[in-house]
Amino acid sequence: MVGDQDTMTAVLNRLRRAQGQLNGVIAMIEDGRDCKDVITQLAAVSRALDRAGFKIVASGLRECLTGSSAEGAPMTEAELEKLFLALA
Protein backbone atom coordinates (compact mmCIF):
# COMPACT_ATOMS: atom_id res chain seq x y z
CA MET A 1 0.00 0.00 0.00
CA VAL A 2 1.32 3.36 -0.99
CA GLY A 3 0.82 6.52 1.05
CA ASP A 4 2.79 9.12 2.91
CA GLN A 5 4.55 7.77 5.98
CA ASP A 6 2.75 10.01 8.49
CA THR A 7 -0.66 8.92 7.21
CA MET A 8 0.23 5.23 7.23
CA THR A 9 1.64 5.55 10.76
CA ALA A 10 -1.61 7.18 11.90
CA VAL A 11 -3.67 4.44 10.23
CA LEU A 12 -1.59 1.68 11.80
CA ASN A 13 -1.86 3.30 15.23
CA ARG A 14 -5.62 3.56 14.85
CA LEU A 15 -5.87 -0.09 13.79
CA ARG A 16 -3.71 -1.23 16.70
CA ARG A 17 -5.92 0.74 19.08
CA ALA A 18 -9.01 -0.90 17.55
CA GLN A 19 -7.37 -4.30 17.93
CA GLY A 20 -6.82 -3.62 21.63
CA GLN A 21 -10.40 -2.43 22.01
CA LEU A 22 -11.69 -5.57 20.31
CA ASN A 23 -9.61 -7.73 22.65
CA GLY A 24 -11.23 -5.80 25.49
CA VAL A 25 -14.70 -6.50 24.11
CA ILE A 26 -13.93 -10.21 23.91
CA ALA A 27 -12.73 -10.17 27.52
CA MET A 28 -15.86 -8.29 28.58
CA ILE A 29 -18.08 -10.94 26.99
CA GLU A 30 -16.05 -13.74 28.56
CA ASP A 31 -16.39 -12.03 31.95
CA GLY A 32 -20.15 -11.68 31.53
CA ARG A 33 -20.12 -7.88 31.61
CA ASP A 34 -23.27 -5.84 31.17
CA CYS A 35 -24.67 -5.76 27.64
CA LYS A 36 -24.71 -1.94 27.57
CA ASP A 37 -20.98 -1.78 28.37
CA VAL A 38 -20.16 -4.39 25.72
CA ILE A 39 -22.20 -2.61 23.04
CA THR A 40 -20.62 0.75 23.92
CA GLN A 41 -17.12 -0.68 23.48
CA LEU A 42 -18.09 -2.57 20.33
CA ALA A 43 -19.39 0.68 18.84
CA ALA A 44 -16.04 2.31 19.65
CA VAL A 45 -14.22 -0.48 17.80
CA SER A 46 -16.49 -0.02 14.82
CA ARG A 47 -15.88 3.74 14.73
CA ALA A 48 -12.12 3.23 14.96
CA LEU A 49 -12.17 0.82 12.02
CA ASP A 50 -14.38 3.16 10.00
CA ARG A 51 -12.04 6.07 10.63
CA ALA A 52 -9.00 4.01 9.60
CA GLY A 53 -10.75 2.93 6.42
CA PHE A 54 -11.83 6.43 5.52
CA LYS A 55 -8.31 7.72 6.22
CA ILE A 56 -6.91 5.12 3.80
CA VAL A 57 -9.46 6.06 1.13
CA ALA A 58 -8.86 9.78 1.61
CA SER A 59 -5.08 9.49 1.48
CA GLY A 60 -5.10 7.10 -1.45
CA LEU A 61 -7.70 8.89 -3.55
CA ARG A 62 -5.19 10.61 -5.81
CA GLU A 63 -3.12 7.46 -6.23
CA CYS A 64 -6.20 5.41 -7.08
CA LEU A 65 -7.40 7.89 -9.69
CA THR A 66 -4.04 8.48 -11.34
CA GLY A 67 -2.70 4.94 -11.18
CA SER A 68 0.40 5.97 -9.27
CA SER A 69 -0.09 3.14 -6.78
CA ALA A 70 1.93 -0.08 -6.79
CA GLU A 71 -0.73 -1.75 -8.97
CA GLY A 72 -0.14 0.84 -11.69
CA ALA A 73 -3.59 0.94 -13.30
CA PRO A 74 -5.87 3.85 -12.41
CA MET A 75 -9.23 2.97 -10.86
CA THR A 76 -12.41 4.00 -12.59
CA GLU A 77 -14.81 6.26 -10.78
CA ALA A 78 -17.23 3.33 -10.44
CA GLU A 79 -14.54 1.14 -8.86
CA LEU A 80 -13.58 3.90 -6.44
CA GLU A 81 -17.23 4.49 -5.52
CA LYS A 82 -17.72 0.77 -4.84
CA LEU A 83 -14.62 0.70 -2.64
CA PHE A 84 -15.71 3.79 -0.73
CA LEU A 85 -19.26 2.50 -0.22
CA ALA A 86 -17.91 -0.78 1.13
CA LEU A 87 -16.85 1.23 4.18
CA ALA A 88 -20.22 2.93 4.65
Side-chain angles (χ1 to χ4, degrees):
M1 181 168 172
V2 179
D4 71 81
Q5 190 61 39
D6 290 340
T7 300
M8 291 304 106
T9 298
V11 167
L12 287 172
N13 287 339
R14 196 177 298 262
L15 290 173
R16 287 184 184 107
R17 192 173 319 123
Q19 184 178 29
Q21 289 174 316
L22 185 56
N23 288 336
V25 169
I26 292 168
M28 291 172 76
I29 292 171
E30 291 174 342
D31 293 342
R33 294 278 301 272
D34 183 62
C35 178
K36 182 180 176 184
D37 294 337
V38 172
I39 297 298
T40 299
Q41 287 304 310
L42 195 55
V45 173
S46 180
R47 283 190 305 273
L49 292 174
D50 287 345
R51 294 183 107 183
F54 285 124
K55 184 86 164 171
I56 290 169
V57 170
S59 69
L61 185 60
R62 177 174 291 143
E63 294 166 11
C64 290
L65 290 174
T66 63
S68 63
S69 67
E71 290 80 31
M75 292 180 73
T76 66
E77 186 175 330
E79 291 171 323
L80 190 60
E81 180 180 356
K82 183 178 178 180
L83 180 64
F84 185 78
L85 290 174
L87 294 170

